[in-house]
Structure formats: C-alpha cells, structure tokens
Amino acid sequence: MIAELEALAGFRADVREWCREHVPADWVARMTGASVDESLEFQRVWLAELREGGLAAPHWSSEWTGRDYSFEEEIVIAEEMARARAPRLDTFFVSLYHTYGLLMEAGTEAQRRRHLPAILDHGEIWCQGFSEPNAGSDLASLRTRAQRRGDVYVVNGQKVWSTYAMHARFCLLLARTDPAARKNRGISYFLLDMRTPGVEVRPIVDLGRRQEFCELFLVDVEIPVENRIGEENEGWRIANSTLSTERSTLLLMPAEQLRVAYWMLVDLARTTPGSGGRPAIEDVGVRRDLAGFHAEIANLRLLINRMLTQMIRAGGAGPESSIIKLYYSELLQRFTCYAAQLGGMKTQELAPLLGAAPYVSGVWEFDFLNSYTWTISAGTNEIQRNIISERVLGMPREPK
Amino acid sequence: MIHRTRTVDMDSEELRAAIRDVLDREATSERIRVVMDESKGHDAKLYALMAELGWTGLAIPEQYGGSGATLIELGVVLQELGRSLVSSSFEASVVLFGGALLLAGREDQRASFLPRIANGDLLASAALGGASGRCEVGSLALTVEPRGASLSLSGKLEYVPSADLSELVLVAARGPQGDTALVLVDPRHEAIEISPQPVFDPTRRFSRLVMHDHVVPRESMLGDFSNGEALRERLIELGAIALASDSMGGAGKVLESTIAFMKGREQFGRSIASFQALKHRCVDMMMRAEASAVSVEMALEAFSREAEEAPVAASEAKFYSCDSYVHVAKEGLQMHGGVGFTWEYDCHLYLKRALLNQALLGDSRWHRDRVADLVLGPATAL
Ligand SMILES: Cc1cc2nc3c(=O)[nH]c(=O)nc-3n(C[C@H](O)[C@H](O)[C@H](O)COP(=O)(O)OP(=O)(O)OC[C@H]3O[C@@H](n4cnc5c(N)ncnc54)[C@H](O)[C@@H]3O)c2cc1C
C-alpha cells in the first residue's frame, strides 16, 4: 500500500459505505444482454447517482464539482469503486477524461463553462475523431482537411473507429489546416458539434457483434473559429500533452479489477474438472499458472503504486505510464485467454454480453476478445514498444 | 462453373488444389456469414456439392459407395474446410459417425448407413464426452443399463455437434461396471429432449441431449461392453486428428491473409510488412504452422495404419496444432489493427474457431496429460 494512503482510513470507510449503499446489487444481472438504449439510460442514471455522491469526477476541480479531492483521495475512490464492482462510466469516458483534460489545459473559460457542466449535469457524450482509414498508427499523416473561410473552418474528410460517435453530442476532432507544413505541424484541434450539417455517422459492427465504434463522414462541415482549441496548427502538440496527463490514474481501476478477477479465475479453477476428474485447482500445472498470475497482478499494482507515489511526491508521471499500459494490456489478454481455455467447453458457451462491465466480467471469452481494445486502440502495443525503446531506452529509430 | 471432377485418383496436392478451388468460390466469407445466420451451422447446398464431388465418400470403401481412399486424403478435406471456415456437419457425419461404423460397425449397420453417408443423404453425429474439456470415462454424464434385450439410457450429453440436423447420434454411455457402451439413438425421438447450446464460434452448432430411461434395442449398440471404451478412445483420437487438421488449415490461412493484408497496408510511408517487429512474428507463426502440418500428417498416417504410436501422435497433433492455431489467430488479429476488431474481417472468426477447436474433445491440458501418461508412464509409477 502507498504510505500516503494510510492516513485516509476514515475517508476510505466513507467511500466504501457509499458504495455499499449505492452500487446497485443487481446491476450485472439487469444489464446483461440489455439493449443499447437501456445501457445508455443506465449509464446516465449511474452518472447522476455518482454526481449526487460527489464521486462522478474526482479528478475534476471543485470549481465544477463543488468538491476538491486530493490525489490520494482520488486513488482511494478508484480502489473502492473497483472493490465494489461498480459499473464503469464507459460512455462518458471521453467526456470525463479527454474533454476535461483538454479544456482545462488548452480551452478557454467560455468553452469550459459551456461544456463541463453539460457533461456532469446532463450527461453529454463526447467522442474522439482522431483515426482515419489511412492514419492509424501514423496518426500524424491524417488528411481530413479544415480550411478557414471567414469566421468558420470548412471541414472535409473521413474519420474511423470513433467510439460512441452515434450517441455523441460533440467530437474532439483533429484536422489538417496547413497541408504544406511537415506532417505534425499542420494539424489543428477542434470541438465539433455533431449536429452540424454535413456530419454523417455510420456505426461499425465489432467482433462481439456490437455497434460501438463508428465511421464519420464530414462533407463541408462548418466549425466556428471559436471552437478551435489553441492556436492554428498547434493541434498535434495539444493532443499529445493532453493525452499523456490522463494515463496516470486511469490504470488504477482496471488494475484493481484484475485483482478482483483473480479470485474469479480461482473459482473457475475450483469448479472446472482437471486431471482424473479432480478440480483443476488441484492440478500442479494449474497451481503454478495461478501463482504466476498472482505475482503478475501484484506487480502491476506495485508498478502503479510506484508511479503514483512518485506523482504524489514530485508531481507529474514519467514514462512509467506507457510501460504500465503495455504490461497491463498484455497481462489482461493472457489472463483472460487463460481463463477462456481453462474452463473447457463451459467457457465456449455463448453468454449474453454486458455493457459497462468491468474489464473482466467473468464471461471469459468475451473478456479476452475485448482485451484487444487495450492492445490496439490509443496506440497499439507495437507503437508503444517503439516509443518506449526510443524515448525510455534511448535506442535509435528504425531507418526509413 | 464448378469443375465436377471426382476426387478419386488424385494425389494429395492435386486433391488439395481441387478442393481449394471449389471452396474459394463456394465458401467465401460472405457465404459463411449467410450460413451462420440463416441455417443451423450447416451449408446444405455446399454439402450436396461436397457429396457430388466425392468428398463425403472419400474414405469410405468402394463396396459401400465410397472411393476407398485413406484418412490421409480425408485429412486434406478437413484442412481445407478449416481454412475456409466451412460450417457443416462433415466432421460429425463423415469423420465421427462414418469412422465409428468403419471401426466397429456390424455388417448390417455399415451396409445401411455408409452408402448414405457417402452420397450425402445421411447426417449423423457422435457424442463421446468431453464436457468441460475432459474426456475420461468418468466425465460421461450418460449412463446405460442393460435390460434383457434392451438398453436403458439416462442422463445428458453436452455439446453434441450438429445433433439437431442428425437422424442418428452415436452416444457414449457409462455402463454399470464403469465400462462404456456406444449406442445409436434417434435424437428426434420424443423421449429425448434436445436444446441448442450456442457457442462463441458462430460457424459451429451444438446441442444438449437429455434423456431419462430412454429404452432402445440392444442391437443399437456398436461393438459391446467389452470393447466400448477402447472404441471410444479411438474415436476421440480420430476426432482429435480432425480438429487438428481443421486447425492446421485455419492457421495456414490466417498467416497467409495477415501477410497479404500487411503488404497492402501502408503507415509511416511504407508497407507495415516491412517492419521487422512484425516480420519476425510472422516467421514465428510460420514455424508453428509448419510444425503443425507435419504433426497432423504424422497423426493421420499413424491412425490410418493403426500404428502403435497413433494414440500419442493423435494427442500431440491435437494440442500442438490447436495451440498453434490460437497463437497464430491472436497474432493475426493484433497485426490487423482496428480492422481486426471488426465483425466484417474474418480475424475474429478464426480466433473463435481456434479456441473452440482447442476445447473440443479433450482440451490441451487433457491431451498433454494423456501424452505424458503414454510416454512417461503414470506419475505414480515414477
Ligand atoms: C476498440 C477500438 C476503439 C477505438 N476508438 C477510437 C476512438 O474513439 N477514436 C479514434 O480516433 N480512434 C479509435 N480507435 C482507433 C485506434 O486508435 C487505431 O486502431 C490504432 O491507432 C491503430 O491504427 P490502425 O487501426 O490504422 O492500424 P495500423 O496502424 O494499420 O496497424 C496495423 C498493425 O501494424 C502495426 N504497426 C504499425 N506501424 C508499426 C510500426 N512502425 N512498427 C511495428 N508495427 C507497426 C500495428 O501495431 C498493428 O499491429 C479505436 C480502435 C479500437 C480497436
């Protein structure tokens, strides 16, 4: 445990009590196989519930939430939410993290006033329009064009993989404003109102047969100049600095969920027959594997603790966050795949899926397939490795 | 136009090319998706064509209307079906049910069923155990009790492949002495409750059969109590080799299509296939695919010769080829990036089929245990 958290026992007890009273005991059963509308409604209700309890956005400043939490308290809240198996606010992920981070760092006061209360009080959903069909790992080569005409920008192009764009009221958009400049120098950052004429959203069916991410087609879409964030052609720099500040605490909740999930795997090993029909947990090979996961999950939390302690004491995270993301995502993938395999035919049975589930829901094959969200989106693990080898290990770039 | 060349008298590679040619046209990704949604995991139109081309009768002796080839040729068909993610009752009807008759059927049983399997008219299945991935006798949840000239069956069978399409299912049941009987039942009989057991892999369909004191004549047995367990084990080996073949075909295809995708995909101004980090992983995938291929060939050959090493070869092929398929399909999905996460691309279908193959008829842990026992002797004897 992080030494600084020991003094917060009282606070922790309060949060735990709040969770006990408010996390709906039957939410997993109710939301399993729920329709899109039902899930959205549930997310809104849960957001409102958290807001009432002052827990919807512990990382936001009191100006918006009426309550300031210390960084240490934020950590405690994340730990307790995971422990209580509280639903994730995944529909509001971009709103609560990316939009907030962006507006606080690079937005104007007017933009903050317009958007932040709308997120918290009305559950406005945001999406992120960065990736394009030909600009994924090489995001800086994006081609969506924004041309200044008087006091608007006229935007044309196509975005892809934009999660929850079909429900979103606004989009964080990167578009090229100077095609003559070097790749990452000619990009600007915009807030796009999804109701603007010329915006078309087409959902893409994913491997779980859900419709979550979307294509965006932008034809002569007008964005008022005041919806540009920062200076023209500064978009790349802004996007990078606002993305990196978020990673630090975000992994805490998934890491804690993995600790809870570990015992679900142990249960699976208890109920699955192994050698000679004895429970798999008596199998020496399984025991060794479970011991391995126990250590790896503990190490994950220790790595996070080290980073958080560093942040509490010195402020600001180092490159650890990208190493932790890599470590977590691969552990998650291996862990869920292992469980899907351990259960034999039982875990092959199709089960109704659950929105807002923890990253490990216990429908193991579904959890495993979902783990690719972590290894592909927001910079694939291959790209993470390139970045870490170059920036942390100081190794030379690959020749062109 | 389909070339209606019959598949007799071809060598393995000609056979493979002929099958691939047909499946590339008849089992496209679009078609697979139609079949998975509209029919019960069985492409009847394709199956009729497969019968016409002689695939269903390939390993059935000529006297029963087949072409008398060996399991090795049948293995080629299975590999190609796996490669194209074909949904059909082929494994159940031809490999398991047909295989059981060839191994232990009485003459009257063979004569009445084999010609109908060969011409594609009879769909049948087999339930050999293996719920939760384990296959030992103790795992059978169906019991059989002899009663004069009849047998009474009670209990349940899980994950029976395409049982809902089948006229007959060969079921393995535990006898009063802890012995095993293999019995033919009619899954449509009113005393049998049949319900679907959908799995993550949408290309395959399974059912659960539940019966209570279902009485059938003793002649419905294949073999008898004295050789039932040995026969069940042989059939598990046969099924395992079929799954290993399917996996080998699937892994080969994933490797091929992943490389083709990467060659056509540019990022950072160059083809992503030129990144060493990815190239090396593709080579690793290839090594596993190649080793799977020889392992599967060895198992097919040993089984068809009834060689002493067949049990080890079958189990090794099962876990090696299925584990490799999972590995290759995981890597393939990751290397596709965002499109790998879509329903539209086939990456997830291969991954789901790979995981299912691994779990069916004894998971990798079970087959490893089996190999360890066969090769090293039981742990207690050491
Ligand atoms: C579930 C999900 C949700 C997403 N949500 C959003 C969203 O809301 N908004 C948004 O803008 N985007 C989103 N994305 C898109 C995501 O950011 C991209 O998929 C990702 O950046 C990869 O880009 P790509 O799909 O074009 O793959 P590619 O860049 O084509 O990569 C294909 C493969 O090549 C590898 N590769 C590429 N370059 C190199 C290299 N130099 N060295 C080694 N390997 C390399 C990759 O790692 C990958 O394995 C989402 C993606 C997923 C899967």
Side-chain angles (χ1 to χ4, degrees):
Chain A
M1 181 143 128
I2 301 171
E4 278 82 349
L5 300 188
E6 273 157 32
L8 295 177
F11 178 76
R12 184 184 294 279
D14 290 347
V15 178
R16 190 167 295 182
E17 179 58 17
W18 188 91
C19 288
R20 208 183 51 73
E21 275 172 21
H22 293 88
V23 174
D26 60 340
W27 80 268
V28 172
R30 262 198 297 139
M31 283 301 112
T32 300
S35 70
V36 172
D37 286 342
E38 287 162 346
S39 300
L40 273 181
E41 183 50 30
F42 176 65
Q43 287 268 303
R44 289 219 167 82
V45 170
W46 180 235
L47 176 71
E49 189 87 18
L50 286 165
R51 188 186 57 233
E52 289 304 304
L55 294 165
H59 59 296
W60 285 27
S61 89
S62 61
E63 193 186 346
W64 313 104
T65 60
R67 160 119 218 218
D68 253 329
Y69 290 104
S70 67
F71 187 55
E72 290 85 335
E73 287 171 329
E74 247 182 72
I75 297 171
V76 169
I77 294 170
E79 285 176 348
E80 291 302 317
M81 290 288 164
R83 187 176 181 278
R85 306 209 53 174
R88 278 190 291 143
L89 286 173
D90 59 345
T91 319
F92 302 104
F93 185 83
V94 173
S95 312
L96 290 172
Y97 292 93
H98 296 258
T99 304
Y100 177 77
L102 174 76
L103 294 185
M104 292 310 284
E105 195 165 312
T108 62
E109 189 54 27
Q111 286 164 337
R112 289 177 204 153
R113 297 221 164 279
R114 159 64 187 86
H115 294 297
L116 298 182
I119 290 172
L120 215 52
D121 302 337
H122 308 299
E124 257 180 16
I125 298 170
W126 286 64
C127 64
Q128 187 190 55
F130 285 12
S131 308
E132 297 182 3
N134 291 308
S137 295
D138 184 14
L139 184 61
S141 69
L142 61 88
R143 277 183 238 165
T144 291
R145 184 81 170 88
Q147 279 168 296
R148 175 91 185 240
R149 234 174 259 157
D151 50 11
V152 297
Y153 284 89
V154 179
V155 182
N156 283 284
Q158 187 189 341
K159 294 286 169 180
V160 72
W161 315 128
S162 185
T163 305
Y164 297 130
M166 72 288 257
H167 310 307
R169 182 70 178 79
F170 288 92
C171 173
L172 301 174
L173 184 78
L174 289 181
R176 188 161 301 282
T177 33
D178 182 1
R182 260 187 46 207
K183 283 206 305 193
N184 56 11
R185 295 283 164 78
I187 295 170
S188 299
Y189 206 135
F190 300 97
L191 310 182
L192 165 64
D193 181 338
M194 295 293 279
R195 293 185 190 160
T196 318
V199 177
E200 196 199 329
V201 180
R202 282 189 217 153
I204 303 170
V205 183
D206 72 15
L207 45 61
R209 224 168 184 175
R210 295 159 302 183
Q211 297 193 356
E212 291 188 349
F213 51 26
C214 303
E215 287 179 290
L216 297 185
F217 296 89
L218 307 172
V219 180
D220 291 332
V221 173
E222 295 190 358
I223 300 182
V225 171
E226 64 265 24
N227 286 359
R228 192 189 67 218
I229 297 284
E231 294 300 308
E232 198 172 89
N233 299 328
E234 283 290 304
W236 185 256
R237 191 190 54 72
I238 295 169
N240 274 303
S241 70
T242 50
L243 281 181
S244 57
T245 51
E246 284 135 20
R247 293 240 167 98
S248 46
T249 44
L250 277 183
L251 281 160
L252 194 60
M253 180 107 156
E256 282 301 290
Q257 287 175 353
L258 209 47
R259 293 218 287 200
V260 176
Y262 178 76
W263 295 103
M264 293 161 63
L265 175 63
V266 171
D267 266 347
L268 181 71
R270 283 209 178 97
T271 51
T272 302
S275 293
R278 316 271 318 143
I281 197 160
E282 294 179 19
D283 185 304
V284 71
V286 173
R287 295 175 75 80
R288 287 189 183 131
D289 295 338
L290 293 182
F293 284 126
H294 190 265
E296 286 186 280
I297 291 169
N299 292 346
L300 171 67
R301 187 53 218 263
L302 293 171
L303 283 169
I304 291 175
N305 283 357
R306 194 173 70 179
M307 176 183 74
L308 294 175
T309 307
Q310 160 80 13
M311 290 176 73
I312 292 170
R313 293 182 190 159
E320 293 93 338
S321 66
S322 46
I323 296 167
I324 293 172
K325 184 195 173 233
L326 194 61
Y327 183 98
Y328 167 70
S329 61
E330 299 201 343
L331 174 56
L332 175 72
Q333 201 155 80
R334 230 168 346 97
F335 177 83
T336 50
C337 186
Y338 182 86
Q341 293 169 320
L342 182 74
M345 285 302 295
K346 262 261 137 343
T347 34
Q348 287 298 307
E349 270 185 54
L350 189 63
L353 307 184
L354 176 63
Y359 293 108
V360 186
S361 71
V363 181
W364 298 105
E365 181 147 333
F366 166 70
D367 293 336
F368 165 59
L369 293 166
N370 259 349
S371 72
Y372 284 89
T373 313
W374 281 94
T375 55
I376 296 173
S377 71
T380 66
N381 281 13
E382 290 73 22
I383 296 303
Q384 301 289 343
R385 282 192 164 81
N386 286 345
I387 293 174
I388 294 167
S389 61
E390 287 161 19
R391 298 197 197 147
V392 182
L393 298 180
M395 298 166 91
R397 313 195 77 164
E398 229 169 315
K400 285 258 170 180
Chain B
M1 253 319 279
I2 311 288
H3 300 290
R4 308 217 167 225
T5 327
R6 298 257 318 168
T7 38
V8 211
D9 301 330
M10 288 188 196
D11 73 25
S12 279
E13 286 323 298
E14 281 172 2
L15 177 64
R16 186 185 302 284
I19 295 170
R20 190 170 296 184
D21 193 50
V22 172
L23 293 181
D24 280 350
R25 272 173 288 131
E26 299 296 314
T28 56
S29 179
E30 297 77 56
R31 176 75 191 154
I32 295 298
R33 285 148 198 276
V34 171
V35 173
M36 76 175 64
D37 283 341
E38 290 179 0
S39 62
K40 295 174 175 169
H42 175 72
D43 187 340
K45 182 171 153 261
L46 178 61
Y47 200 76
L49 178 64
M50 284 157 60
E52 187 181 333
L53 295 172
W55 303 357
T56 45
L58 194 60
I60 291 176
E62 286 170 25
Q63 70 195 98
Y64 302 114
S67 29
T70 68
L71 184 61
I72 300 177
E73 286 78 26
L74 190 61
V76 175
V77 180
L78 290 165
Q79 290 151 23
E80 294 303 310
L81 295 178
R83 180 185 160 89
S84 291
L85 295 171
V86 169
S87 306
S88 86
S89 153
F90 192 90
E91 286 102 328
S93 300
V94 175
V95 181
L96 292 177
F97 193 81
L101 291 173
L102 287 171
L103 284 173
R106 289 190 311 267
E107 183 48 36
D108 63 302
Q109 289 167 327
R110 293 184 185 206
S112 55
F113 302 131
L114 286 175
R116 292 182 58 218
I117 293 176
N119 70 19
D121 171 50
L122 175 64
L123 299 185
S125 185
L128 303 168
S132 320
R134 308 206 55 87
C135 274
E136 55 262 351
V137 201
S139 71
L140 294 176
L142 185 71
T143 57
V144 58
E145 225 181 277
R147 254 191 230 152
S150 312
L151 300 168
S152 160
L153 295 161
S154 296
K156 66 175 179 183
L157 295 159
E158 297 210 85
Y159 318 111
V160 188
S162 42
D164 48 352
L165 301 159
S166 298
E167 248 176 70
L168 286 165
V169 178
L170 180 69
V171 302
R174 199 144 43 93
Q177 261 79 56
D179 43 6
T180 303
L182 291 164
V183 187
L184 295 174
V185 303
D186 172 3
R188 295 167 194 178
H189 191 284
E190 56 183 17
I192 299 181
E193 212 181 288
I194 177 164
S195 51
Q197 275 187 307
V199 291
F200 275 97
D201 172 8
T203 67
R204 300 258 183 70
R205 292 291 193 276
F206 297 90
S207 305
R208 173 192 285 118
L209 304 185
V210 181
M211 56 198 91
H212 181 69
D213 192 19
H214 176 46
V215 179
V216 295
R218 216 175 165 122
E219 296 81 73
S220 313
M221 237 169 125
L222 208 71
D224 54 41
F225 280 103
S226 69
N227 66 1
E229 184 52 22
L231 182 58
R232 192 178 74 94
E233 233 180 291
R234 298 300 311 283
L235 286 172
I236 288 169
E237 285 162 12
L238 182 61
I241 296 171
L243 290 164
S245 301
D246 187 273
S247 297
M248 164 199 158
K253 172 68 189 215
V254 172
L255 177 59
E256 226 177 272
S257 51
T258 301
I259 292 171
F261 169 81
M262 295 199 305
K263 283 182 175 164
R265 173 76 179 160
E266 282 195 14
Q267 288 291 278
F268 305 99
R270 55 195 257 200
S271 147
I272 62 169
S274 71
F275 293 119
Q276 231 172 52
L278 303 183
K279 286 199 287 200
H280 287 189
R281 281 158 66 183
C282 288
V283 174
D284 291 346
M285 289 156 77
M286 185 193 78
M287 284 197 296
R288 301 202 58 159
E290 292 291 307
S292 298
V294 291
S295 169
V296 167
E297 266 167 42
M298 159 72 182
L300 289 163
E301 193 267 337
F303 191 92
S304 64
R305 261 194 310 117
E306 298 185 32
E308 201 189 328
E309 62 271 27
V312 170
S315 281
E316 289 188 349
K318 170 71 165 62
F319 74 72
Y320 190 87
S321 181
C322 292
D323 291 358
S324 299
Y325 190 14
V326 171
H327 171 81
V328 169
K330 280 164 83 170
E331 289 285 79
L333 197 152
Q334 175 69 22
M335 291 189 207
H336 273 74
V339 294
F341 205 78
T342 64
W343 184 262
E344 182 190 342
Y345 275 65
D346 290 339
C347 304
H348 69 104
L349 295 177
Y350 283 99
L351 184 51
K352 290 168 185 171
R353 185 143 159 158
L355 284 162
L356 179 67
N357 282 359
Q358 201 181 35
L360 277 168
L361 283 182
D363 61 13
S364 296
R365 195 168 282 117
W366 190 79
H367 283 282
R368 278 170 202 260
D369 285 351
R370 188 167 184 261
V371 169
D373 284 348
L374 290 168
V375 174
L376 309 173
T380 47
L382 291 180

